[in-house]
Amino acid sequence: VRAMVSDAAGTLWVATRGGLARRSGASWHLDSSGDWLDQEGLLGLARHPDGGVWLASAVGIYRSQGSVFAPVVHRGEEYPGGRIWSIGASDGNTIWLAAENEGFFRFRDGLLERIDLDSGILDAICVLEDNTGSIWVGAFGSGLHRFRAGPFQCCASRYGW
């Protein structure tokens, strides 16, 4: 199990190496044949504020439309080549990606962009937006970073992690 999220209807979605499992009521269903699946399996899930689900895999980003996932960005469209460790949804229509050896990305208005190449965040592993709108990124080696309408602030040296 790599990630879990529940949608607005209460369905539990579980990202695994073998596919996408979902539990609705008392029954489970495993989808292991989607075009979003490759040898890496699924790497991340996030709940959008509207109740939908975002899915990240090595081949792209997908958004739920009921129990079906539609492609939003595919590999080759400036998609990170490394493993997506974490995906986070923001209010509005923005998602954040923490990517192995490639840093931190924002997908908004149909565009995927790498954020703050000078931040030193090369191996981001988790991402979270807090209730103030700050984006927090955890990274191997460089610790915890905060992004809010400007350059990243590193909390690693201040707190010793």
Side-chain angles (χ1 to χ4, degrees):
V1 172
R2 295 186 170 161
M4 296 181 289
V5 69
S6 64
D7 64 19
T11 301
L12 176 64
W13 299 87
V14 182
T16 74
R17 185 176 185 94
L20 181 63
R22 74 175 184 271
R23 181 183 170 121
S24 184
S27 61
W28 284 95
H29 173 8
L30 177 65
D31 185 350
S32 59
S33 62
D35 64 348
W36 34 260
L37 193 61
D38 74 347
Q39 72 275 5
E40 286 288 327
L42 299 180
L43 303 171
L45 294 171
R47 180 177 174 176
H48 192 276
D50 71 5
V53 175
W54 292 95
L55 177 152
S57 74
V59 296
I61 303 168
Y62 297 77
R63 184 144 177 8
S64 66
Q65 296 176 341
S67 62
V68 175
F69 283 81
V72 177
V73 177
H74 275 106
R75 180 181 280 172
E77 299 174 25
E78 299 195 25
Y79 191 68
R83 177 174 293 184
I84 302 297
W85 286 112
S86 181
I87 179 172
S90 200
D91 61 350
N93 209 20
T94 302
I95 60 170
W96 303 92
L97 301 171
E100 178 179 43
N101 297 322
E102 295 192 51
F104 183 59
F105 294 79
R106 174 175 54 203
F107 178 76
R108 179 173 59 191
D109 299 327
L111 298 172
L112 182 67
E113 63 179 313
R114 184 173 289 160
I115 300 295
D116 197 359
L117 295 174
D118 298 324
S119 69
I121 302 173
L122 295 177
D123 210 355
I125 59 168
C126 56
V127 59
L128 170 82
E129 181 177 10
D130 69 18
N131 62 352
T132 70
S134 291
I135 306 299
W136 295 88
V137 179
F140 287 122
S142 61
L144 184 64
H145 305 264
R146 179 180 180 218
F147 178 73
R148 175 135 179 123
F152 277 95
Q153 297 172 326
C154 180
C155 300
S157 60
R158 182 174 177 191
Y159 298 107
W161 353 291

